[in-house]
Amino acid sequence: GLSMPKDTLRCVGYHGFCFHSKSCPEPFAAFGTCSRRQKTCCIDTTSNFHTCQDEGGHCVPPEIKCLQEQVGLCPHREWKCCTEV
């Protein structure tokens, strides 16, 4: 695998970028940290990537069945975003 920290890989997996500054430039929104908390993970808010909670959903682990899935980012890649659990 790549020799990047897990949190950095997760950020990149969510189409985010790691910025040195604590705040993200427009139109990016902060979504955690990268590089062992040395940088901020920023995600492009103009794309269809919203966090699950922004959309009013809940993040659930893969073993839980959703009544209704919805679009939204969860902090854990395998987790699903559900409107109803």
Side-chain angles (χ1 to χ4, degrees):
L2 297 167
S3 60
M4 285 195 279
K6 270 202 183 74
D7 58 350
T8 303
L9 287 170
R10 187 185 306 147
C11 182
V12 172
Y14 284 130
H15 304 268
F17 300 94
C18 298
F19 288 96
H20 279 288
S21 61
K22 284 278 176 247
S23 59
C24 302
E26 292 287 329
F28 292 89
F31 189 75
T33 57
C34 314
S35 307
R36 299 182 179 87
R37 299 181 189 261
Q38 301 301 306
K39 296 179 189 173
T40 307
C41 172
C42 301
I43 289 182
D44 186 353
T45 56
T46 58
S47 68
N48 293 331
F49 287 91
H50 296 280
T51 63
C52 185
Q53 282 83 353
D54 285 350
E55 301 294 319
H58 310 278
C59 290
V60 297
E63 60 270 16
I64 291 181
K65 279 204 162 23
C66 291
L67 292 179
Q68 193 181 344
E69 273 197 61
Q70 67 175 50
V71 179
L73 287 176
C74 291
H76 307 290
R77 209 179 169 76
E78 311 78 49
W79 288 33
K80 298 175 294 209
C81 183
C82 302
T83 39
E84 313 249 339
V85 182

